[in-house]
Amino acid sequence: MLQSEQLDTRLVLAANDKVAAGLLIQRLPLQGEANLAGAGAVASDEDQIGLNEDYNRIAILAASLKREELLELDADTILRRLFWEEDLRRFEPLVGDEGPRFACTCSRERVSSMLRSLGRDEIESIIAEQGQVEVGCDFCGAQYRFDPVDAAQVFLQPHAQPPATPNLQ
Ligand SMILES: [Zn+2]
């Protein structure tokens, strides 16, 4: 976080066989726009890392959170217990279509174009070695398999592809 966002960050995580919970504490950027635009670190933010008293106090309080508390208590209780001396402002969590949900942007088309960028020689040598090309998405766990026919199709022009038949899927 310090290297990519250039912002003081503290992350507390816990999980058991039923629940996974986390608390992320992050100091707001001094000049948010530049940071959000990916323009790189704002010098004043970098200079501030580790020096901001308010942030350090809140980060130390966050780190005092016990595993059981994080797993068993609701957000309001945790916030009250940890930060009862702070001026708290709680925003209503977004739910439904607006709320957070798991999603992955991977697709067979994206994997195909990644294979194209590796080049026909590379793909053919993988096929010769393993009989197929298998690509797993580290984010969502989806597995994409390309048998020799699928792999050959990857290198055909899209409009030159024969209509898909079930036994090629
Ligand atoms: Zn994925």
Side-chain angles (χ1 to χ4, degrees):
M1 278 296 199
L2 286 178
Q3 284 170 1
S4 61
E5 296 270 345
Q6 322 287 346
L7 288 172
D8 279 322
T9 302
R10 171 87 52 151
L11 185 59
V12 185
L13 297 170
N16 59 23
D17 56 352
K18 294 192 178 64
V19 182
L23 173 67
L24 172 85
I25 301 291
Q26 189 163 65
R27 188 171 56 73
L28 292 175
L30 296 180
Q31 295 173 37
E33 279 182 24
N35 245 297
L36 293 175
V42 179
S44 50
D45 272 326
E46 277 191 14
D47 294 344
Q48 281 286 311
I49 287 174
L51 297 178
N52 186 293
E53 268 182 46
D54 291 332
Y55 172 79
N56 287 340
R57 182 181 69 252
I58 288 167
I60 287 168
L61 290 171
S64 75
L65 186 62
K66 305 255 183 319
R67 183 175 182 279
E68 299 71 40
E69 294 176 306
L70 186 54
L71 290 174
E72 290 163 18
L73 301 177
D74 61 87
D76 280 319
T77 308
I78 288 176
L79 291 175
R80 268 199 317 273
R81 275 198 194 177
L82 287 178
F83 309 116
W84 61 278
E85 281 185 305
E86 309 294 334
D87 176 21
L88 280 178
R89 201 172 315 161
R90 168 110 196 265
F91 295 92
E92 280 304 312
L94 297 172
V95 293
D97 287 346
E98 302 281 292
R101 62 195 177 280
F102 185 81
C104 187
T105 56
C106 75
S107 68
R108 195 167 175 86
E109 287 65 42
R110 283 189 171 208
V111 174
S112 295
S113 78
M114 186 269 286
L115 295 181
R116 259 193 300 279
S117 74
L118 286 175
R120 191 185 286 259
D121 290 349
E122 177 71 20
I123 298 307
E124 280 175 359
S125 85
I126 294 172
I127 297 261
E129 224 174 78
Q130 302 175 13
Q132 65 173 359
V133 179
E134 197 170 342
V135 178
C137 174
D138 285 340
F139 187 64
C140 73
Q143 291 289 322
Y144 298 93
R145 286 185 192 82
F146 294 76
D147 66 17
V149 176
D150 297 332
Q153 281 195 340
V154 163
F155 293 97
L156 294 174
Q157 295 301 315
H159 52 266
Q161 277 185 15
T165 53
N167 62 351
L168 295 180
Q169 297 302 305

